[in-house]
Amino acid sequence: MIPVLQQPETWLVAIPALGAATTFAFREQGRRGVVSFVLAGIAISTAMTFAKLLLRGPYSHSIGGWVAPLGITWQIDGLAAAMILLTSLVGVMISRYALEYFGSSAEEQRQAAYFWPLWFFLLSGLYAIFLTADIFNWYVTLELSGLAAVGLITLSEKPQALTGSMRYLLIALCASLFYLLGVVFLYGEYGSLDLTTLAARIQPGSVTQVALALMTIGLIAKAALFPLHFWLPPAHANAPSPVSAALSALVVKAGFYILLRLQLVLWPVVSTRYLAIGLGALGAAAILWGSAQAIRQSRLKLLIAYSTVAQIGYLFIMFPLLHAGWAGDPLWASYAWAGGVYQALSHGLAKAALFLAAGVVIHAVGDDRLDSLRGLGEKLPLTATAMALAGISLMGIPPGAGFIAKWLLLSASVASGQWGWAVVMILGGLMAVGYLFRVYRRLLTARDVPVLHQPPRRMEAVALTLAILSLVFGLSSYPLFYLLRIGAPASVGLYLEGLP
Amino acid sequence: MSLRRKHRRWYRVSRWALLPVFIALAVVLVQTVLSTAPANGELPRLVDEEMSASGVLHPLTAVLLNFRGYDTLLEIGVLLVAVIAVWSLDASGKSGHLRLRLPSPNNAALRVDLSIILPLMVLMAGYMVWIGSYRPGGAFQSGAILGAAAVTLISSGMLPAPFGRSRRTRLALAGGFSFFMTVAILTVLFKGRLLNYPMAWAGTMILLIETLLAVSIGAALAALFAGVAGIKVDEPGSPSRREERGP
Amino acid sequence: MTVVSIYGITGVLLFVMGVFGLMTQPHLLKKLLSLNIASAGVFLLMVALAYRGDKLDPVPHALVLTGIVISVSATAYAVALAARLQKITGSPTLEEPAVDEP
C-alpha cells in the first residue's frame, strides 16, 4: 500500500487543522475549494481508518516513534472509531449546511470569515480527543476544541450569546483546571501520562481516588451534566444554528468520552460503587430536570437545548449499570456499555438534525418562537419531516437509533434489579414525547403563514439526511456491536457477541 | 424571581455558603500532596537514555519538540485559535477600549532609543532559538521577546495599530503552525509516524520549526495584545487628542 | 516537611483560593484573575513534583510551558470577551442583559 494510506488516522487531525490555517490566512479566496478538499479528506480518512481497524484489529500509533510512557500514544479501537464516525458524519453535514447558511451580506461574510477556521480547528481538536490515550494530551485537546467552541458561539452578536459564552468559557477553563490537577496527582503517583501504562500500575489509594474525583468533576462540567449544566441552554440556543448543532451533537460528547475511557480502564480497580451511583443519580436528575424545562420553553432552540441536558443524563445512567455488571453478571455491563455508546451516537445525529432544522425555520420566518412554527409543516415539508424523524430517535420509539440505546439501558437496569433507573428513563421518554409534540402540534396547524425567505434546498436536505441517518442506525444494531467489540476493554467486551 | 435578582443574591450568599466547602477541599488536597508517592524516576531516566536520538542537547527542548512534540503542535493551534477568536469579536479592529496616545513621529529621543533596542531584541530572539538546543531557551522565550518588540513598536506608533490584519500578518500568524503540521505530515509519509524526524535531520528540523514558531508566537502575542486592548489610536494632532488634553 | 511539599501545598492552596474567587467574585476581571491564580497553583504543584528524586524531571517542566501558553491564550480571549460584553451590556458582570427574549 502507498505510505500515505497506511496511517489514515493522522490525516483526520492534520487535514482539518491545515484547512483551518488556510481559511484563516486566505479568507474567502478559494474557500469553497478548501472546504470541499477538507470534507473529501475527512470522508476518505474516516473510511480508511475503518478499513484499517477492520483488517488489523485495534492498533496504536506512537507519535514520533516514541513508545509510551516517554511519548504520546494514540489508541484506535471500536469505541474511538464509533466517535470518529459520528464526528465525520455530523461534521461533513454541518459544513455542507454552513456553506449555504452564511449569506452574502457584509455581516454574514464577516461571520463566515471566522466561522471556517474556528470550525475546522474544532473538528481537528475533536478527532485528536477521540484518538489519543494520553491524559495530558487530553487537556491540550480539550482546550483546543473548547476555545474554538466558545469562539464559534460568539459569532452571534446577541447579548445572550455573549453572556452565555462567557459563562461557558469560565466554566470550561475552571473544569480544565480540575482535570489538570487530577492529571498532576496521577503523574505524581505513577510517573506516567499514558493511559495504558497507568492502567497497568494503578492501585486503590487515597491519592488515586482524589485524582480521579478531580478529573471527574472537570469532565462532567465539560459534558454539562446536571447540576453543572446551567451554561448550556443559553450558549447552545443563542449560537448560530450550525454551531448549536456542533455543540450539542459533538462537543459535550468529548467530556463524556474521556470520562468513559478513564472509567473503563482505571475505575474497575479503584472505583467505589457509590461514585458510580452518584453519577447515575445526577444523570437521572438531568433527565427529569432537562425534560421539565424543555416542556416549559417558548423558543424552539431553547427547547432543543434543554432536551440536550436531558439526553446527556441517559449517558450517565450507564455508569451505575456498568458497575452493577462488574459486581454481578458481566452481561449487564455489556448491555450498559453498548447502550451508552449507542445513546451518544443516536443523540448526536438526531440533535444535529433538530438544530439544523431550527436554523432553517429561523431563516424562513425570522425567529424561533414556538408560535412562529404554526402552519410551517405545509410550507417547509422537508424540514418538518426532518424534525419528526429526529424526534422519533429522541423519544426512543422504534425504528429510531435512540430506541436501541434506551432499550439496552432499560434491559440492563431491569436485569440487574435496579428498577429506579428504568422508571426514570421511561418517564424521560414520556416527557420527550411531551415537549416534542409541542413542536409538532404547531407544525401541523393549518394556517397560511407568509414565509419571508425561502431557505436553500440544500439546508433542508442536510437536516433531513441527518434525521434519516438517525433512523438507519436504528434499523440494525449489528454493525455497531461488531465495531464496538473490536478492542473493547475486558471489563465490558465479554458478551458483546451475544447481543441482539 | 428575575435572573438579575437571582444573580445578585448568589453573590451575596455564595461567599459564606461556599467557604466550608472550599476549606474541606483545601484540607483534602493538602493531604493528597503529602501522601503522594515518591517519584519512581522512570521518565527522567528514559529522557536521559533517548537524549542522543532527540537531535538536541537540552532535555526540556527534547521533551517539548520531540518526545512530546505533538502537545506543542496542538498548543500552537490553541494560540492561533485565541487570535482568531479575539479578532472575531471585533471584526473591524477599530472599536477600541484602550485609548493610546501616540508620541509624535518626530520625537527624536524615542527614535534613537528604538533604533538601539529593537535590533537588540531581534538579535536576542534569534539567540534564544539557537541556544534552545543545549540550554534553557527556545521558541517560546524567543517568541515572547519578538512579541514584546512588536508591542513596543505598536505603542510608539511605528506599527499601524490595530496591528494590521493584512494577509501578511495572517500568514505570519498561521505560518508556524502550518509549517509544523506540514512537517508532521511529511514524517508520516516518510517514516510512517507522526512527527518522527529522521534521526540525522532531527536537530536541523527542530531548529527550523523553532525559528518559524518563534515568529508566529511573537506575532500572536502582539495580535492578542492589540486585539484585547482594542487600541484606538489618536494620531498626533488629531482633534480628539487635543480635546482630551483639555484646556 | 520537605521543600517539595511546601511548594506543593502552596500550589494546591492557590488553586483552592483561585476557584473560590472565581465563584464568589461578580466582576469578570476578578474572576479571570482568580482563574489565573488557580492555574498558577496547579503549575506550581507540577514544578514541585518535578523536583522530587535525585534527578530533575524535565517532563513536568514541558507540561507547565504548554499549560502557560494555553492559559495565556485563554486569558487573552476571555479579557477580550469581557470587554466586548461590557460594551454591549454595560455591565462588567455576568448579570443577564436587560434586553428580554424576543
Side-chain angles (χ1 to χ4, degrees):
Chain A
M1 209 160 39
I2 327 167
V4 193
L5 302 177
Q6 279 173 9
Q7 316 292 343
E9 64 280 359
T10 53
W11 297 94
L12 285 172
V13 175
I15 290 178
L18 285 175
T22 315
T23 45
F24 170 64
F26 297 99
R27 296 259 162 105
E28 60 283 344
Q29 279 180 339
R31 185 193 290 147
R32 270 184 183 264
V34 174
V35 172
S36 309
F37 178 80
V38 171
L39 297 189
I42 288 175
I44 295 172
S45 335
T46 308
M48 296 291 301
T49 308
F50 265 77
K52 187 172 173 185
L53 184 72
L54 293 175
L55 291 174
R56 283 183 42 178
Y59 63 98
S60 61
H61 182 124
S62 306
I63 295 172
W66 306 110
V67 183
L70 181 61
I72 298 167
T73 300
W74 284 350
Q75 298 284 357
I76 295 94
D77 56 12
L79 173 59
M83 297 309 287
I84 287 170
L85 179 66
L86 173 68
T87 311
S88 299
L89 285 176
V90 175
V92 168
M93 286 299 162
I94 290 178
S95 307
R96 302 294 294 166
Y97 184 91
L99 278 175
E100 309 296 325
Y101 180 84
F102 295 105
S104 51
S105 74
E107 168 62 13
E108 286 180 305
Q109 278 303 309
R110 177 196 78 82
Q111 288 188 345
Y114 294 107
F115 171 83
W116 289 104
L118 291 172
W119 165 236
F120 283 150
F121 264 125
L122 174 61
L123 274 181
S124 177
L126 287 172
Y127 285 124
I129 288 176
F130 297 139
L131 288 169
T132 199
D134 183 281
I135 55 175
F136 184 78
N137 191 241
W138 267 327
Y139 166 73
V140 182
T141 47
L142 274 174
E143 292 300 65
L144 180 63
S145 53
L147 211 53
V150 183
L152 283 168
I153 302 174
T154 54
L155 288 182
S156 153
E157 293 251 283
K158 284 191 251 174
Q160 294 99 325
L162 289 185
T163 317
S165 50
M166 187 77 221
R167 214 167 248 151
Y168 176 28
L169 180 62
L170 291 172
I171 293 276
L173 293 176
C174 184
S176 302
L177 280 182
F178 270 91
Y179 176 81
L180 184 61
L181 188 60
V183 169
V184 175
F185 279 132
L186 276 189
Y187 181 79
E189 188 78 352
Y190 300 107
S192 173
L193 297 163
D194 175 63
L195 195 60
T196 322
T197 317
L198 281 171
R201 290 182 189 169
I202 199 153
Q203 286 155 0
S206 66
V207 177
T208 314
Q209 268 169 355
V210 170
L212 288 180
L214 288 168
M215 291 163 93
T216 306
I217 293 175
L219 292 171
I220 63 176
K222 293 251 180 201
L225 178 64
F226 183 91
L228 297 174
H229 69 285
F230 54 88
W231 56 266
L232 185 147
H236 285 204
N238 292 302
S241 293
V243 176
S244 313
L247 292 171
S248 265
L250 304 175
V251 177
V252 287
K253 305 293 188 310
F256 166 75
Y257 173 83
I258 298 173
L259 190 60
L260 183 58
R261 283 266 177 218
L262 295 175
Q263 176 80 247
L264 289 176
V265 297
L266 302 186
W267 281 27
V269 186
V270 283
S271 151
T272 59
R273 203 168 135 245
Y274 298 105
L275 200 52
I277 292 180
L279 283 179
L282 293 180
I287 294 178
L288 298 177
W289 174 258
S291 307
Q293 289 296 317
I295 293 177
R296 290 181 50 204
Q297 297 308 313
S298 58
R299 283 181 51 207
L300 179 59
K301 282 181 77 174
L302 269 175
L303 184 151
I304 306 176
Y306 273 107
S307 155
T308 298
V309 173
Q311 296 288 327
I312 288 167
Y314 287 95
L315 296 174
F316 284 85
I317 296 239
M318 171 180 179
F319 293 124
L321 298 178
L322 276 177
H323 211 278
W326 294 333
D329 186 344
L331 178 64
W332 306 337
S334 296
Y335 268 64
W337 148 257
V341 178
Y342 230 109
Q343 168 68 8
L345 231 68
S346 68
H347 173 249
L349 293 169
K351 200 42 73 70
L354 269 183
F355 265 127
L356 294 185
V360 175
V361 169
I362 295 177
H363 185 97
V365 297
D367 66 68
D368 70 335
R369 280 176 300 135
L370 278 187
D371 287 327
S372 311
L373 290 173
R374 280 178 208 280
L376 273 187
E378 213 169 308
K379 292 284 156 76
L380 302 169
L382 289 182
T383 302
T385 316
M387 286 191 182
L389 297 184
I392 289 180
S393 198
L394 285 186
M395 291 184 275
I397 301 172
F403 166 70
I404 298 183
K406 279 147 204 168
W407 184 79
L408 283 166
L409 290 171
L410 274 177
S411 309
S413 57
V414 172
S416 61
Q418 304 186 63
W419 289 90
W421 308 125
V423 171
V424 172
M425 282 190 280
I426 292 171
L427 264 177
L430 291 175
M431 288 163 95
V433 175
Y435 61 71
L436 285 166
F437 268 87
R438 295 184 65 218
V439 177
Y440 301 149
R441 208 179 62 221
R442 289 175 174 81
L443 279 176
L444 298 177
T445 318
R447 190 179 75 135
D448 196 31
V449 276
V451 169
L452 292 177
H453 308 279
Q454 191 58 39
R457 258 301 137 76
R458 184 171 284 157
M459 276 167 73
E460 291 196 272
V462 165
L464 186 60
T465 312
L466 278 169
I468 291 175
L469 277 174
S470 80
L471 294 192
V472 168
F473 275 83
L475 287 180
S476 168
S477 50
Y478 181 74
L480 192 76
F481 291 151
Y482 184 81
L483 184 66
L484 280 184
R485 213 166 64 211
I486 303 173
S491 50
V492 289
L494 268 181
Y495 286 97
L496 282 181
E497 295 102 26
L499 288 180
Chain B
M1 188 165 37
S2 81
L3 282 169
R4 232 155 217 264
R5 276 176 52 203
K6 240 185 193 165
H7 180 263
R8 290 198 178 137
R9 208 184 56 166
W10 162 258
Y11 284 107
R12 265 205 311 279
V13 186
S14 65
R15 204 158 303 180
W16 305 110
L18 289 177
L19 198 58
V21 180
F22 278 86
I23 291 176
L25 179 65
V27 172
V28 170
L29 291 182
V30 167
Q31 196 69 47
T32 312
V33 170
L34 289 176
S35 43
T36 303
N40 61 13
E42 183 201 5
L43 224 48
R45 204 191 66 241
L46 279 174
V47 171
D48 246 24
E49 280 171 12
E50 301 289 355
M51 273 309 289
S52 57
S54 73
V56 289
L57 295 169
H58 194 266
L60 184 57
T61 308
V63 175
L64 267 181
L65 269 300
N66 204 334
F67 304 141
R68 293 186 71 88
Y70 175 62
D71 272 345
T72 309
L73 169 61
L74 292 179
E75 145 206 356
I76 301 298
V78 175
L79 192 61
L80 187 53
V81 166
V83 175
I84 300 172
V86 166
W87 280 11
S88 79
L89 285 173
D90 176 20
S92 62
K94 297 222 167 72
S95 64
H97 309 282
L98 186 83
R99 180 152 274 187
L100 199 68
R101 281 186 199 171
L102 294 187
S104 153
N106 307 322
N107 187 331
L110 182 70
R111 288 199 159 252
V112 172
D113 279 356
L114 285 179
S115 67
I116 296 170
I117 291 173
L118 282 173
L120 271 178
M121 286 176 106
V122 174
L123 193 66
M124 189 67 193
Y127 175 67
M128 273 291 169
V129 171
W130 179 251
I131 61 160
S133 62
Y134 55 95
R135 269 197 204 167
F140 294 98
Q141 291 84 338
S142 172
I145 298 174
L146 284 179
V151 169
T152 315
L153 275 177
I154 293 172
S155 43
S156 53
M158 306 283 170
L159 258 190
F163 189 54
R165 296 181 180 183
S166 59
R167 165 91 59 80
R168 207 184 311 161
T169 316
R170 298 201 303 266
L171 282 175
L173 284 165
F177 177 77
S178 309
F179 180 73
F180 202 170
M181 192 49 114
T182 309
V183 168
I185 283 303
L186 290 177
T187 54
V188 174
L189 295 191
F190 291 107
K191 301 268 291 184
R193 296 243 174 265
L194 203 60
L195 288 171
N196 189 357
Y197 314 116
M199 187 134 37
W201 285 75
T204 323
M205 293 303 274
I206 290 178
L207 192 64
L208 200 57
I209 291 172
E210 290 226 75
T211 310
L212 280 165
L213 282 188
V215 173
S216 280
I217 292 169
L221 291 176
L224 286 177
F225 168 80
V228 167
I231 296 166
K232 193 169 201 168
V233 184
D234 290 346
E235 296 297 339
S238 71
S240 65
R241 184 182 168 88
R242 254 176 263 134
E243 212 171 274
E244 219 173 286
R245 273 190 180 155
Chain C
M1 196 180 271
T2 60
V3 180
V4 176
S5 37
I6 291 174
Y7 285 109
I9 289 171
T10 315
V12 292
L13 289 180
L14 282 176
F15 171 79
V16 175
M17 280 163 57
V19 178
F20 183 69
L22 175 71
M23 289 183 155
T24 54
Q25 295 289 344
H27 198 289
L28 283 174
L29 211 52
K30 287 192 180 171
K31 277 185 191 293
L32 290 175
L33 286 174
S34 307
L35 209 52
N36 274 278
I37 291 173
S39 48
V42 179
F43 298 153
L44 185 59
L45 176 64
M46 276 180 167
V47 176
L49 287 176
Y51 202 69
R52 300 173 309 166
D54 30 289
K55 210 164 175 40
L56 204 64
D57 186 352
V59 175
H61 286 202
L63 305 187
V64 166
L65 258 180
T66 303
I68 288 174
V69 174
I70 289 176
S71 163
V72 165
S73 315
T75 307
Y77 174 59
V79 171
L81 185 54
R84 184 87 194 147
L85 201 61
Q86 179 171 19
K87 199 161 185 174
I88 288 183
T89 64
S91 154
T93 66
L94 278 175
E95 275 188 11
E96 292 307 311
V99 276
D100 30 41
E101 318 258 302

